Amino acid sequence: MSGVSVSWIPFDGPTESFTLAAGGHRWRGERPVDWAAAGDRLRQARRRLRELPVRQVVAAIDVVAERWAKRDFPERRAAVAAASLVTGMSAETVDRALDAETGNLRAPSLIAALERELGDPEVLDGFRGGTTAIGPDVTLAVFSGNVPGLPARSLVRALLVKSAVIAKVPAKEPHFTAAFLRSLHEVEPVLADAVVATYWDRADDTAMSAALAQADAVIAYGGDEACAAIRARVAPHQIYEEHGHKLSFGVVTDGWLRQHGPAEAARRIAADCSDFDQHACLSPQVYLVAAEHAREVAEHVADAMRRAAADCPPGQVGDQDATALQHRRLIAEWRAASSAGSGVWAADGLDWTVVLDDTLLPLSGAGDRVARIVAVPDVDAAVDVMRPYAAHLQNVGLGAVGDEFWRAAGELARLGVSRVAEPGAMSRPGMAWRHDGQPRIAGLLRWCDVELPDGVER
Amino acid sequence: MTVAHDDPYVRRLFEEMAALVTDRVGDPDAIHGQLTELAATNAPDVARYWKQVGAGVGVPDTAYKDGGPHLFPDAPAVRVFRTSGTSGSVRGSVRYSGLGLELKNLAVRANGRRHLLSGGVKPVVVRVAPTEEAAPDMAVAFDMARLQEECGDPALSTSVIGPDGVDYALLEKTLDAAVAEGLPVVMAGPSFAYVNICDRLESEGRRWELPAGSRMYDGGGFKGRSRVMRVDDLRAKVRRTFGIREFDNIFGMTELANQLYDAADVPVGPLGERPKEQQPFGRARVRDPRTRELREEGSGLLEIVDLSVLDRPHVLLTGDLGIATPHGVAVAGRIAGSTSRGCSLSLDEMTGER
């Protein structure tokens, strides 16, 4: 049992203990018993938070992010060890995930996101040019998944709009949220005092209903089923933001491959498929590659995957995932043996796998550093291949040049994707990205516009 | 140089396999070796596959969605069976040569005799499967018909599946007649069908106390066509409705020729699945998910060695999870995708293919 609590409750009041089993380990924490009282305390804290100018909020988060950006920061070391324990990811993989996430929380990145979505960030502090933007009193954020540091993004967005937060920590990575809040409390208690981080079981309707009753906005992360269960309980007055099942992929064209060469292309594809051990929804499940280069690229990707594994060791693969992965491999090996357009390159163990094919076959499972290269004649064909999955598409690594880049990006946008990045940068979306296609700061806000009466000046 | 279907070697091999499946006479290892060599000789894709992953590793069932390897393209197909689509929406097909189908016939009959006949009485075989005439491309219909011919009381045995599904009037009439004549009943059909049949009969207040020695054989799991039940719960349900007290589970696939019956009444799998028997002519085994080595204990990829398969590789990677125990290997459902990771989703989950 870990000695550090995975909960954060910044005020007194009755609580109950919980233990959370994840990755063969048990984590302890506390949960408010009286959610109405907890809600009152959060709304009080929110009043103090509202007095804090947005640039001070940004500055405080920047200081915390700067501390967390250092790999030897003790709280970060502990968080890396905990995340590594519970997710099976190597420490280096977790560190890289935190590098990316903390980089997003630095002041320039936060200001850029605020300016992009609001124009003038100071509308959060009061009327500016006859308009002001008001965040929710309390935001409930239900986190899931096992990408280390993931909760920071939505937590910070809620704090930027000066909302108090009830954060349900992800069962598969429970440690980070409370640790981050402890650091935030050292820097700016007004911010951390407006957040409760805790956990309840998915089946615990009582805790969920009680927490939900305190919220003006709800952010849900998770599978389609889990999200649907939350969505069904959201009341009409509550703002709702959902991050459900998503699928990401890559596309590289003949022109881009000629410009970058197969080795560099492969290095980038391998990076996208190796980051987070390919467990993130941002990770590509397939790379659609111009057919004339596909085999050569796949061969280079095999070398690049091997180097990526040496550079950043892959995580432990659990028994169920190992079975699914070996099954996928053997199916791919059969395709390779029976069809001229297919091939498999793989580590002796399960560290990495490269599969080349000329059709996109639905295969059991995803993740664990499987680079699937599928040969396609052109961008239009690539878009057609992904069309059946349109409702779930998210992130695309697009390797294209000139006019073709914009034409492809346009096709992909119309297809349903919400982010286009260059190959090799798929796992590092900036804070300014409209996460899953919606403005996530502005989305939490209610605006008030003043139509100036006579005799009142701006 | 491939070996033709009418080559005397194939005929001799057929005779050896027939003796093994019928009378358990012969050397299974030698036959296994010959079949491995024949597959590598006659099917270049199988040879390449084994070169890549190790000789004798099961060919995935998905291979048959694309037609699959066939060792005797020169021989006319006397029967073609279609797969039910367990492993996806695309249905596969397997072709049988004359000798291949005859081996399947011998194997299914011999296995049936060993399991269905006891005390010299021919039971009333109630097939919860369509007739061969109604479903000529369904391997289960073929197998059930052979079981009935070989083991069933000729007067009362019947299929109870009509054009509109279960023929309840015929089912009830058959069971009533078996009770009246004091003949044990052997019911055989898919697991999900028992759930639905018992639900309906229970709701109508119908139940039977079938004669001693009556037995239920189920197989194939639930496939989303009924609720999923634990083995013991399903058996208790069948006991309540039919008064049946003996149970067995059959594992079969269109890609295989023969079936595997339970070895011991020991719950092993997550739903209480029992281990399958290891016969000289056929057995289940488990491959370690990390090394692909065969493992004596623990879970991994299920592989079936069926020495009654002549027309295609006799080792099949079924796509199921297997659990190896000292009692035998239990089949614990299809290999699901990887564990859920929040918002990250795989392609199969998205299209509903598993």
Side-chain angles (χ1 to χ4, degrees):
Chain A
M1 174 106 68
S2 165
V4 185
S5 172
V6 298
S7 61
W8 169 259
I9 303 176
F11 41 73
D12 296 333
T15 59
E16 57 188 350
S17 300
F18 64 82
T19 55
L20 171 58
H25 298 270
R26 294 166 74 82
W27 312 83
R28 64 169 186 81
E30 296 291 317
R31 175 169 59 226
V33 175
D34 185 346
W35 278 98
D40 286 341
R41 297 299 294 268
L42 285 172
R43 280 181 286 274
Q44 286 167 24
R46 139 84 163 154
R47 282 195 283 277
R48 289 190 295 279
L49 172 55
R50 190 175 278 175
E51 300 306 313
L52 212 59
V54 65
R55 293 204 185 260
Q56 274 189 44
V57 176
V58 169
I61 293 166
D62 182 64
V63 171
V64 178
E66 186 183 18
R67 290 182 188 177
W68 274 80
K70 295 191 174 80
R71 286 193 172 197
D72 58 357
F73 179 54
E75 278 280 23
R76 170 163 166 159
R77 293 265 37 91
V80 168
S84 187
L85 205 60
V86 68
T87 62
M89 289 175 180
S90 69
E92 180 63 23
T93 298
V94 177
D95 262 327
R96 290 182 183 200
L98 290 180
D99 288 344
E101 214 49 55
T102 53
N104 274 321
L105 304 181
R106 300 306 306 271
S109 163
L110 297 180
I111 293 292
L114 285 164
E115 286 178 344
R116 181 170 201 204
E117 292 199 16
L118 308 181
D120 178 357
E122 264 99 21
V123 291
L124 293 164
D125 296 336
F127 283 104
R128 299 274 289 184
T131 190
T132 187
I134 312 292
D137 280 342
V138 179
T139 299
L140 168 64
V142 179
F143 294 111
S144 81
N146 65 356
V147 176
L150 180 75
R153 202 168 266 250
S154 288
L155 180 67
V156 163
R157 284 196 286 241
L159 291 173
L160 286 175
V161 301
K162 306 184 199 181
S163 172
V165 180
I166 299 169
K168 184 188 176 215
V169 303
K172 286 178 180 159
E173 208 268 288
H175 179 93
F176 171 81
T177 310
F180 185 80
L181 288 164
R182 284 192 291 271
S183 301
L184 189 59
H185 193 262
E186 285 174 16
V187 174
E188 180 48 88
V190 170
L191 285 172
D193 284 350
V195 185
V196 164
T198 184
Y199 180 78
W200 56 87
D201 191 81
R202 189 185 282 189
D204 185 349
D205 279 346
T206 314
M208 181 69 196
S209 298
L212 204 54
Q214 301 307 317
D216 309 286
V218 181
I219 300 171
Y221 281 82
D224 283 349
E225 218 172 282
C227 284
I230 296 169
R231 195 189 319 127
R233 306 172 69 156
V234 172
H237 73 277
Q238 290 171 318
I239 290 168
Y240 181 65
E241 170 183 332
E242 180 173 299
H243 301 282
H245 273 158
K246 289 288 177 278
L247 184 91
S248 299
F249 63 101
V251 179
V252 297
T253 65
D254 171 57
W256 188 82
L257 282 164
R258 287 182 193 284
Q259 194 171 88
H260 289 83
E264 173 60 11
R267 187 190 66 75
R268 292 169 179 233
I269 292 170
D272 286 340
C273 296
S274 300
D275 285 349
F276 308 125
D277 291 340
Q278 206 183 17
H279 288 185
C281 50
L282 295 163
S283 305
Q285 300 303 323
V286 58
Y287 249 99
L288 303 158
V289 173
E292 59 268 43
H293 305 283
R295 184 167 286 275
E296 188 186 14
V297 167
E299 286 167 359
H300 279 91
V301 171
D303 289 337
M305 293 292 282
R306 184 181 297 112
R307 281 195 295 273
D311 187 36
C312 180
Q316 306 286 325
V317 181
D319 286 347
Q320 186 190 333
D321 289 357
T323 305
L325 178 50
Q326 185 64 256
H327 185 228
R328 278 194 280 164
R329 264 201 192 169
L330 286 168
I331 290 172
E333 292 279 13
W334 172 258
R335 290 276 302 167
S338 60
S339 120
S342 306
V344 179
W345 298 258
D348 285 343
L350 297 179
D351 281 358
W352 57 267
T353 310
V354 179
V355 175
L356 169 69
D357 210 330
D358 50 15
T359 21
L360 180 60
L361 296 174
L363 298 174
S364 288
D368 298 318
R369 301 197 185 196
V370 178
R372 287 169 71 184
I373 309 296
V374 170
V376 288
D378 51 34
V379 170
D380 289 342
V383 169
D384 281 342
V385 164
M386 298 312 290
R387 204 174 294 284
Y389 310 103
H392 289 95
L393 297 179
Q394 182 192 51
N395 183 30
V396 173
L398 175 59
V401 291
D403 291 345
E404 192 177 36
F405 177 89
W406 288 109
R407 203 175 60 76
E411 284 293 319
L412 292 165
R414 283 186 286 278
L415 183 64
V417 313
S418 62
R419 178 174 179 253
V420 174
E422 65 175 335
M426 286 187 71
S427 68
R428 295 190 302 279
M431 196 70 179
W433 173 43
R434 296 185 183 94
H435 190 169
D436 293 344
Q438 299 293 329
R440 298 305 185 184
I441 297 170
L444 292 171
L445 295 174
R446 178 179 52 78
W447 293 80
C448 179
D449 297 321
V450 172
E451 296 174 18
L452 281 181
D454 289 341
V456 176
E457 294 189 9
R458 276 181 194 267
Chain B
M1 185 70 182
T2 57
V3 183
H5 185 255
D6 58 5
D7 191 296
Y9 171 82
V10 175
R11 184 77 212 181
R12 278 198 303 279
L13 182 56
F14 167 83
E15 299 292 349
E16 287 178 43
M17 294 167 78
L20 187 71
V21 299
T22 309
D23 301 318
R24 287 187 275 200
V25 170
D27 179 353
D29 291 341
I31 292 173
H32 175 74
Q34 290 182 77
L35 286 172
T36 305
E37 199 180 321
L38 179 65
T41 305
N42 274 21
D45 41 9
V46 174
R48 278 192 296 273
Y49 176 69
W50 282 343
K51 194 166 174 227
Q52 291 160 208
V53 302
V57 171
V59 171
D61 64 331
T62 52
Y64 296 95
K65 288 182 183 177
D66 300 331
H70 188 61
L71 304 194
F72 304 111
D74 60 314
V78 296
R79 273 302 268 279
V80 176
F81 294 119
R82 306 286 306 277
T83 63
S84 64
T86 324
S87 46
S89 58
V90 183
R91 294 180 69 193
S93 63
V94 296
R95 289 170 288 174
Y96 277 89
S97 66
L99 288 178
L101 193 68
E102 177 54 15
L103 258 177
K104 177 175 174 63
N105 172 45
L106 292 171
V108 170
R109 285 174 185 272
N111 228 353
R113 284 196 301 276
R114 278 188 284 270
H115 291 91
L116 270 62
L117 295 180
S118 57
V121 179
K122 286 199 157 188
V124 176
V125 172
V126 172
R127 294 181 275 153
V128 190
T131 62
E132 275 188 286
E133 295 72 31
D137 66 355
M138 186 190 276
V140 171
F142 175 94
D143 296 340
M144 295 277 187
R146 301 295 83 75
L147 289 179
Q148 175 178 323
E149 285 166 4
E150 190 66 23
C151 308
D153 174 82
L156 292 180
S157 297
T158 183
S159 156
V160 294
I161 298 294
D164 304 318
V166 178
D167 182 340
Y168 281 93
L170 179 58
L171 171 65
E172 295 177 17
K173 191 180 92 181
T174 305
L175 298 182
D176 290 342
V179 172
E181 299 201 14
L183 285 171
V185 174
V186 161
M187 296 181 76
S191 309
F192 64 80
Y194 289 102
V195 180
N196 298 329
I197 289 171
C198 290
D199 276 351
R200 162 142 173 190
L201 293 172
E202 266 176 44
S203 73
E204 293 173 350
R206 294 300 318 267
R207 65 176 308 278
W208 287 261
E209 195 60 46
L210 294 177
S214 292
R215 186 175 296 189
M216 172 268 237
Y217 291 90
D218 72 318
F222 303 94
K223 298 181 175 162
R225 296 179 65 178
S226 77
R227 63 187 178 281
V228 173
M229 293 188 75
R230 298 182 56 80
V231 170
D232 288 320
D233 293 343
L234 178 61
R235 291 178 177 186
K237 190 175 181 65
V238 169
R239 187 180 303 122
R240 281 196 302 277
T241 302
F242 298 112
I244 288 176
R245 287 179 167 74
E246 294 176 24
F247 303 93
D248 204 335
N249 176 276
I250 300 178
F251 180 84
M253 285 178 74
T254 303
E255 296 85 348
L256 300 168
N258 207 347
Q259 290 107 29
L260 297 174
Y261 290 72
D262 283 348
D265 195 19
V266 185
V268 170
L271 296 175
E273 293 93 339
R274 274 46 170 177
K276 295 295 164 207
E277 61 181 7
Q278 310 283 317
Q279 291 278 8
F281 51 79
R283 63 206 147 91
R285 55 193 200 183
V286 171
R287 289 207 178 259
D288 186 303
R290 292 183 172 79
T291 65
R292 292 204 288 257
E293 298 294 316
L294 293 170
R295 65 192 311 188
E296 296 299 314
E297 279 199 61
S299 66
L301 292 87
L302 181 74
E303 185 175 270
I304 307 288
V305 181
D306 185 348
L307 298 182
S308 42
V309 172
L310 182 64
D311 292 304
R312 52 192 174 279
H314 64 292
V315 191
L316 181 75
L317 190 75
T318 68
D320 293 286
L321 183 68
I323 303 173
T325 74
H327 297 287
V329 172
V331 184
R334 305 292 295 166
I335 294 173
S338 341
T339 48
S340 167
R341 297 190 187 100
C343 57
S344 176
L345 192 60
S346 62
L347 292 166
D348 57 320
E349 287 172 297
M350 249 173 235
T351 49
E353 297 205 19
R354 297 239 104 177

